[in-house]
Amino acid sequence: MNGTTSDSDSGGESDDESYSFVDQASSSSDDDGDFSISTNGDNNDADDFDEHDASYEYTGGHRRTRATLRQHLPAVAIAIVAAVLGHAHLNDGEFLHVTLTGLYRDFVENHGGGTRSMDVNSIGSKGNKYAAAPTLNVPTPYPTVPMPHLPLIGDAGTDGADRHHHRYRRTANLGFCKEHDEVNNKSNNDDVSKGVRNLLGGSRDDTDENIGTMNPGLVPFDFRIPNDLVSTLGMHYLADEKKEDRYESVLVAVKPTSADREYQCLLDKAAESSPKNHNLKGWGLAYVRPDISTFYRGAGGVSAAVGVDLGTVDVNAVNDKSSDMPSIKSILKSRREEHLQKDPEAAAEAAKREEQAVAAVAAAADSDIGNKRTVATPTCTGFAAKFTNLTPNPLNLYWDGRGGSNARLVGRFPPFESLSTATTPGRSFSVLPATQDGYDDRFVLQRWTMTADEAHVYYDPEEDNFARLTTEQQMRYNMWKLNQAYARDYLIRTRRLWLANFPRPAPFHFMHKAEYFGKTLTFKSWESHFTSRPPRSDLEKLSFDDHEHRVHRETRYGKDLSIALPKYRQDSGRELELKMEAISCAPQVFRIDDFLSKVEVEHIIDLVKDGSRNITLSRSAVHPGGVSGYSSDGDKVGNEQADTTTRSSKNAWIEREATPIVDSIYRRAADLLGIDEALMRHRSDEEHPELATDHSIAERMQLVHYAEGEQYNAHHDFSFPAFGNRHQPSRFATLLLYLNDVEEGGETVFPRAINSESHDGISVKPKAGTAIFFYNVLPDGNLDDLSQHQSAPVRSGEKYLANLWIWDPIID
């Protein structure tokens, strides 16, 4: 690694591939076909569907419903017209422009109808909207305005005001009331689980289904709040209560307070505490990484011993009910019962196999599988370094390089904000006033030589000048002091640096668990592979209406009948089933083979090579970690820079709506990750109104090209949001898609991945169609320093890669 490397690459590519798991109920297709009503007299009650045809008919099926439509729609229309005309005498000179499209559509949807024709291959083409309904001009006493239509899922557009996560609270997962003390002071596993559930209840749906997905490594831990910073924490609670995303009025409050029950418990603790007690106890969530020995489980040797393919099982468990994997004994027992129904002799043989399996489990416990393992010390000594400016003035951060004129500007960070970069032990950094033009050793305010143990450093000359700060500045200053106090206790409990900004709750999204190497999961998606290329006329850019119509079709007909361009896909109308494999436990990395088809791979590359779509490759840039791009009030400022010593590729950006194939890949990715696809695009007001924005939480797809000799040094994808941003948004997951087989080199490397065999971490060789995904955050909301990754130099040939970044809880 040469010098410092970007901690996040907002202008650049992530060279890793991400693997995610699919939530079958989450994705919706993007096809935008026509819907038209036809009363063709077809009385067949069965659905007539040809998935290989360019269009299909969906027959309503109920003769009585169709008869109702035919008989009553004209009557309803006449009644409405008559009612409106009845008011004409009030003002004959004014007219109301009435459209019956909404009424017509509503009636059809709620009462069935005749044959409904939908051209699912016309998505993206012009004119595939609902069939036009009659328009009537009738007198009315009211001004001339269009009659509101019934929205499919809501009208596009917003009034510009922020809409908020109704359930999101930055202070979720914090506990100060007595019930937390009573539960968390006990040590048995049931109470630990209950304590975690109590703390998670503030940030997720309080249902067993959602909370049941919590990572077993999450534990409650106690931390201390200094008495003089209680009101500072109250500012965070008040911001949640008022839903002030930028802390506008909260920062200038003299004594911020909140009606939140947990905060009131904290105030009660403060009132009851002894004057000698300078700290108050609270509870938070911490992710404690399990021992490396638990990363090594599998059925390989045992399968050979018993002569059957057992798949992925827990060789350390015979009847371990705490494991989420089947034990060998349970698998063979079920197989014996199956044989018993068919062949008693086979059942007897199965019983012998079971005995062999149990013996193999016992042997495994005494072998290397069951032995205590030690972590192979990684060759890479990199880590994320974080620098915080505790002054009311902006600063420039320099990496000293070899000193003097070789110093390199990392970035500028605003007052009371942070800047980050990836570095290695022994590197020196300096801060200078932002008013200083260039590096000059005479103006250095402070210099640090970095170590992994002290990777978060503060420039704090204001400790003796606190009274000179304004009320708002004092509050911002104390926010960081509160962060320091929490980070100290978090480090003690987890032996890991707290890189996020306190408070930050657990991720809002579902997270898969990579408990051991080789763990496999199956995910399904209705977005089956494209196996032949559609004509250019079917690959036009999508619109907001296309997504809206797709949601409507899925609601009415189901996902299997709403897939875009089905005749160009493999097994259209059937779910695609793929497997994901855990290739790293820390960081959590998953690989999925054949995520993309050959047609899809070629299509993504062609989008760049086809000059008619205005998608072109340009020199990649790096963005020094996170809040270097924010002003003191949280607004973004530019800070991207090209640095070929760190990153020497070219990249381009592709919108989800670029083509139906790209949209299908987004939907498949949503299934893989277990995230609702609607969150990964712009939405109407009625879709997920609990979110703070109707913007996508997914960035545009990035296509990256590496020529021979090009690379991307070790870096992180997460970012550091402004401290005064209530949502604390950051990149949650990275999905990387390999688009070609690289002749030599170009591997994606996680150099600090924990394992017991290799000092060089874990490496993934590019293979066309393969995907990998990894999480940039931990289950407790902290940023995962081990997610550092790099693209090894391409030694022969070239490398094409695409990636998607998913944010939590919203995109910044």
Side-chain angles (χ1 to χ4, degrees), residues 13 35 99 173 219 249 252 332 422 461 485 507 520 593 730 755 795:
E13 84 218 41
F35 282 80
T99 175
N173 312 153
V219 297
S249 65
V252 296
L332 288 175
T520 58
D593 294 327
S730 187
N755 68 97
R795 294 190 294 274

Side-chain angles (χ1 to χ4, degrees), residues 227-434:
N227 279 356
D228 57 351
L229 295 179
V230 169
S231 62
T232 303
L233 184 58
M235 178 184 61
H236 291 298
Y237 276 102
L238 184 59
D240 277 339
E241 188 176 287
K242 300 177 69 174
K243 292 183 168 55
E244 281 198 7
D245 293 345
R246 300 294 179 182
Y247 289 65
E248 293 88 348
S249 65
V250 174
L251 282 170
V252 296
V254 178
K255 291 184 178 181
T257 188
S258 166
D260 185 275
R261 180 172 176 269
E262 295 293 347
Y263 183 64
Q264 290 298 316
C265 288
L266 177 60
L267 292 179
D268 291 342
K269 283 187 176 181
E272 297 168 1
S273 65
S274 166
K276 296 182 179 180
N277 184 10
H278 301 292
N279 297 290
L280 302 173
K281 183 178 179 179
W283 291 95
L285 288 176
Y287 174 67
V288 178
R289 187 168 283 121
D291 185 88
I292 187 176
S293 298
T294 66
F295 294 176
Y296 290 86
R297 314 188 215 178
V302 179
S303 295
V306 299
V308 294
D309 181 11
L310 300 177
T312 301
V313 299
D314 188 350
V315 300
N316 294 312
V318 177
N319 283 316
D320 184 5
K321 296 182 180 180
S322 66
S323 175
D324 65 347
M325 299 171 292
S327 68
I328 293 176
K329 187 171 182 178
S330 64
I331 287 180
L332 288 175
K333 181 179 180 181
S334 64
R335 293 185 181 182
R336 181 181 59 182
E337 291 173 350
E338 293 175 4
H339 287 300
L340 184 61
Q341 298 176 359
K342 301 177 182 179
D343 185 351
E345 292 184 5
E349 181 65 24
K352 294 181 180 179
R353 293 282 180 87
E354 181 179 336
E355 294 177 2
Q356 292 175 340
V358 173
V361 171
D366 295 330
S367 69
D368 182 62
I369 296 177
N371 285 343
K372 183 76 173 179
R373 289 177 177 258
T374 58
V375 176
T377 304
T379 303
C380 175
T381 58
F383 56 89
K386 185 175 181 180
F387 305 84
T388 298
N389 174 13
L390 291 185
T391 77
N393 303 306
L395 299 174
N396 284 342
L397 177 70
Y398 287 86
W399 170 56
D400 290 350
R402 296 184 178 88
S405 60
N406 291 317
R408 179 183 301 172
L409 177 66
V410 176
R412 174 175 298 184
F413 50 137
F416 304 104
E417 288 296 351
S418 291
L419 185 64
S420 71
T421 187
T423 189
T424 54
R427 303 285 186 181
S428 295
F429 295 84
S430 302
V431 286
L432 282 76

